[in-house]
Amino acid sequence: MARKIALEPRDERVVVTAQHVTKTFLLRHTRSIKEAVVWLFKGRKKDITNEFQAMDDVSFDIADGESVALMGFNGSGKSTTLKLISGVMHPDGGAVGIKGKVAGLIEVGAGFHPDLTGHDNVYLNGAILGMTKEEIDAAYDDILEFADIGDFINTEVKFYSSGMYLRLAFSVAVHTNPDVFLVDEILAVGDEPFQEKCKALIRSMVRDGKTIVIVSHDLDMVEKFCKRGLVMERGRLVFDGPCDQAVRFLRGRALDGSEDPERPPLSEAEKAKRLFTDEERAAVPVRVRIGGPPLTAAERV
Ligand SMILES: Nc1ncnc2c1ncn2[C@@H]1O[C@H](COP(=O)(O)OP(=O)(O)OP(=O)(O)O)[C@@H](O)[C@H]1O
C-alpha cells in the first residue's frame, strides 16, 4: 500500500496526489574478482555503488474521472511513478496519496504464482487486488470470457506465453472494478485482436468517467484516449496540460533533442524543423510547479 496522506480538503475530487515525491535507486556496479581486489588494495576509493534519482520533486493531483497519459522518453521515470501510485513501491521523500481502490497492469503476471493454474491464479490475484471470494466467483465467467485463453485456464501459468499471461492478468485487473485504473506499456505484448479489445475497454472506461492513468509510447493512442498529459524528463515533471499539447511538447523535445544534455546547440536548419517555435513554447503553460518560481515551457527548454 502506498503511504497514505491526508488529501487536501481544498478539492475533494482528487483521488491521486503526489506531493514533492523523490525516489532514488542504488546502482551497484558489478566488478570482476580482479577489479574487486584492486579496489580493496587501493583503499576502496571509488564507491562500489552510486545513487540514481529516478524521481525528483514530482507533484501532481489527479481528480476523479480524469484520463491521464504519462509520457516521456525511456528511463524518464514513468513506470516508477505508476508503481508509486499503485503502492508496490514507496517514495523516499514526499508523499503519495490514493483514495479508493487502485488496480491495473504494471508488470505482466505480477501477483501470479507460476506453479498454480490460471484458475487458481485468478482467485489469488483477485484476492491480492482486494476482491472477496464471492466477488471473484461472480466475475469468474466474465474474466474467462475476456481473457479468452480456452483450456489453458487449467494449466500452470509457467507454461503460458507472455501474451496469455497478459490476457489473464489484464482480465482480472479490469474485473476488480477499481476506482483508479493504471495501465503500463505492457499492452504491447498482446496480439492485435486482444490489443483492440483492451483499447475498446479502456475507451469505454474513459467514457464512463473512470479514472485512468496510462503509460505509453504510443502517442497517437494516448492522444485519442486521454484528456490530460503529463510529460516526464529525467525524473522531473516538465509538462502537465491537455494531452494533445503534451504530445506536441514531447514530439518537439524529440525533434530538437533538447532532452539530451550532451547535444550541441541546434543549427538554424534543425530549428526550422521543430514543431514548436520559441514563441509557441512560451505560450504553453506548465501547470505543475517543480519548485522555485512559476515556470513556462520556454524557460524549461
Ligand atoms: N529497481 C530499480 N533499481 C535501479 N534502478 C531502477 C529501478 N527501477 C527503475 N530504475 C531506473 O530508474 C529510471 C527510471 O525508470 P522507469 O522504469 O521509471 O522509466 P520509464 O520512463 O518507465 O522508462 P521506459 O520508457 O524505458 O519504460 C531508469 O533509469 C531505470 O533504470
Side-chain angles (χ1 to χ4, degrees):
M1 291 291 288
R3 192 181 334 169
K4 292 269 192 292
I5 58 163
L7 290 170
E8 299 278 328
R10 66 189 150 76
D11 194 341
E12 60 186 28
R13 291 168 309 157
V14 171
V15 290
V16 177
T17 183
Q19 293 176 9
H20 304 289
V21 171
T22 56
K23 182 75 194 170
T24 305
F25 292 115
L26 213 53
L27 298 179
R28 282 171 220 287
H29 306 298
T30 32
R31 294 174 190 232
S32 64
I33 292 177
K34 189 174 143 196
E35 282 169 331
V37 171
V38 171
W39 175 73
L40 272 174
F41 278 101
K42 283 198 166 170
R44 307 178 186 198
K45 277 213 181 91
K46 267 199 193 152
D47 220 342
I48 208 152
T49 59
N50 63 341
E51 291 189 339
F52 177 82
Q53 189 148 22
M55 286 181 76
D56 183 4
D57 200 9
V58 172
S59 297
F60 56 83
D61 287 333
I62 296 176
D64 188 23
E66 275 198 296
S67 48
V68 181
L70 195 49
M71 295 173 266
F73 298 113
N74 290 135
S76 52
K78 306 179 294 295
S79 300
T80 307
T81 304
L82 224 52
K83 284 177 186 164
L84 289 167
I85 297 176
S86 75
V88 297
M89 221 179 237
H90 294 287
D92 303 327
V96 177
I98 294 123
K99 201 153 74 178
K101 194 159 78 175
V102 180
L105 278 189
I106 311 271
E107 276 169 53
V108 179
F112 274 13
H113 192 294
D115 292 329
L116 296 179
T117 63
H119 168 275
D120 293 349
N121 269 299
V122 168
Y123 279 84
L124 174 69
N125 204 222
I128 289 173
L129 294 172
M131 293 171 90
T132 62
K133 172 156 185 320
E134 289 68 35
E135 284 170 338
I136 304 171
D137 285 341
Y140 189 77
D141 288 346
D142 290 340
I143 292 173
L144 232 60
E145 194 189 324
F146 190 89
D148 195 16
I149 56 169
D151 290 341
F152 276 94
I153 193 67
N154 296 315
T155 303
E156 291 161 34
V157 300
K158 64 185 171 197
F159 299 120
Y160 282 20
S161 68
S162 49
M164 282 178 190
Y165 247 92
L166 168 73
R167 283 164 174 268
L168 196 57
F170 190 88
S171 188
V172 176
V174 165
H175 287 89
T176 57
N177 195 24
D179 300 300
V180 180
F181 193 62
L182 310 174
V183 188
D184 205 342
E185 193 63 74
I186 46 188
L187 277 188
V189 301
D191 58 26
E192 209 184 354
F194 188 71
Q195 275 187 27
E196 290 309 319
K197 202 154 114 174
C198 293
K199 284 181 190 172
L201 191 91
I202 293 172
R203 208 174 289 124
S204 73
M205 284 175 148
V206 171
R207 243 194 335 259
D208 294 346
K210 180 135 318 242
T211 313
I212 293 188
V213 186
I214 301 178
V215 166
S216 183
H217 293 288
D218 185 344
L219 301 184
D220 292 331
M221 178 192 84
V222 295
E223 206 174 335
K224 273 191 222 138
F225 287 176
C226 301
K227 290 219 167 64
R228 179 176 165 197
L230 306 183
V231 180
M232 295 195 68
E233 207 169 273
R234 277 177 262 134
R236 309 196 98 198
L237 193 58
V238 292
F239 188 95
D240 178 359
C243 196
D244 54 341
Q245 286 185 26
V247 167
R248 288 185 67 192
F249 178 86
L250 184 60
R251 288 195 167 129
R253 303 294 263 185
L255 262 192
D256 68 19
S258 45
E259 54 81 47
D260 181 357
E262 303 296 322
R263 192 183 159 102
L266 292 181
S267 68
E268 286 309 311
E270 279 174 317
K271 272 190 186 171
K273 277 192 278 175
R274 291 193 306 185
L275 287 183
F276 273 141
T277 63
D278 287 337
E279 291 71 34
E280 277 178 313
R281 281 170 196 279
V284 179
V286 172
R287 291 211 319 251
V288 165
R289 290 266 309 276
I290 310 168
L295 295 170
T296 66
E299 286 165 337
R300 297 259 343 136
V301 175

